[in-house]
Every structure is written in C-alpha cells, then in structure tokens.
Amino acid sequence: QVQLVESGGGLVQPGGSLRLSCAVSGVIFRINAMGWYRQAPGKVRELVATITSRGSKNYEDSVKGRFTISRDNAKNTVYLQMNSLKPEDTAVYYCNADVLTIGTGERDYWGQGTQVTVSS
C-alpha cells in the first residue's frame, strides 16, 4: 500500500528553476533514507541526491551547488530544488524511499517518475 507520488516536473529554459516533490503515503512506521534519481534517454539511471532521516545530504558532482534536497518528515515528503538548470539535466526524475512498514518489512519504494526538460 506504500505509494510515492511525484510532482513538479515540466519544461524550463536553461538557467531556470524547478522544485520537485515526492510524497509517501501508506501505513508507515519509519522512512530512512530518501533520494532522487534521474535517467536521460539512452543513459543509465543515476543517483542525483540523497538525504537521511536526520538530514545528512549527498549530491552527484554535476549538481552540487545547483540542487538542494530536503525533506519534511511530518509530511513524509522529499523535495528537490533545482536551480541554474542546464540542458544536460533533462531526464525523467524518480524519487526513492527506504520505508519500514508494519507487516511488510523494510524495502525501497519508487515513484513513477516526472519529466524534467531543460530547453531554449
């Protein structure tokens, strides 16, 4: 019954900004790490950013200084603020959460993906 619903993708010009959101629903005991991944056409899926339950963050090198990951534990939501967007950021962005649910144990869950297109 755990579900991750993403929002915030779209078309933006180079240098613009987008804010992605991913809300986790279900009967949740605890969410550990959360993160964002992306996959461009013809490319493998890559890790963009992660954040622990205590707020420790890690970023892929190409997005450091431009992207900010954050989370609201009360809302079971993770965000990705993307600034100074470049055409090479174009991809489908997927959120991920390590969720412990009573009765099902702990496992990774994935959102359905949201398209981010950076183009002039």
Side-chain angles (χ1 to χ4, degrees):
Q1 295 298 313
V2 174
Q3 185 177 9
L4 278 61
V5 179
E6 302 179 26
S7 63
L11 174 65
V12 65
Q13 293 184 336
S17 298
L18 287 173
R19 186 176 188 248
L20 306 182
S21 299
C22 177
V24 182
S25 63
V27 182
I28 299 168
F29 180 75
R30 183 177 66 245
I31 302 177
N32 298 314
M34 307 178 78
W36 290 94
Y37 295 70
R38 66 186 180 186
Q39 187 168 17
K43 305 293 184 180
V44 299
R45 187 174 299 186
E46 67 174 356
L47 178 65
V48 177
T50 60
I51 183 168
T52 71
S53 61
R54 298 298 302 272
S56 297
K57 304 172 183 179
N58 286 288
Y59 297 95
E60 194 273 328
D61 286 342
S62 69
V63 309
K64 288 181 179 178
R66 300 188 298 119
F67 291 9
T68 302
I69 189 171
S70 61
R71 63 190 286 170
D72 185 335
N73 291 333
K75 296 180 179 180
N76 292 332
T77 300
V78 62
Y79 306 93
L80 186 68
Q81 178 66 47
M82 303 184 293
N83 299 326
S84 302
L85 282 162
K86 304 175 180 179
E88 50 263 45
D89 295 318
T90 296
V92 177
Y93 284 70
Y94 299 89
C95 64
N96 171 270
D98 180 11
V99 180
L100 176 62
T101 304
I102 296 175
T104 61
E106 184 174 351
R107 57 159 285 188
D108 281 346
Y109 292 87
W110 291 89
Q112 293 183 329
T114 184
Q115 177 70 48
V116 172
T117 302
V118 185
S119 176
S120 60

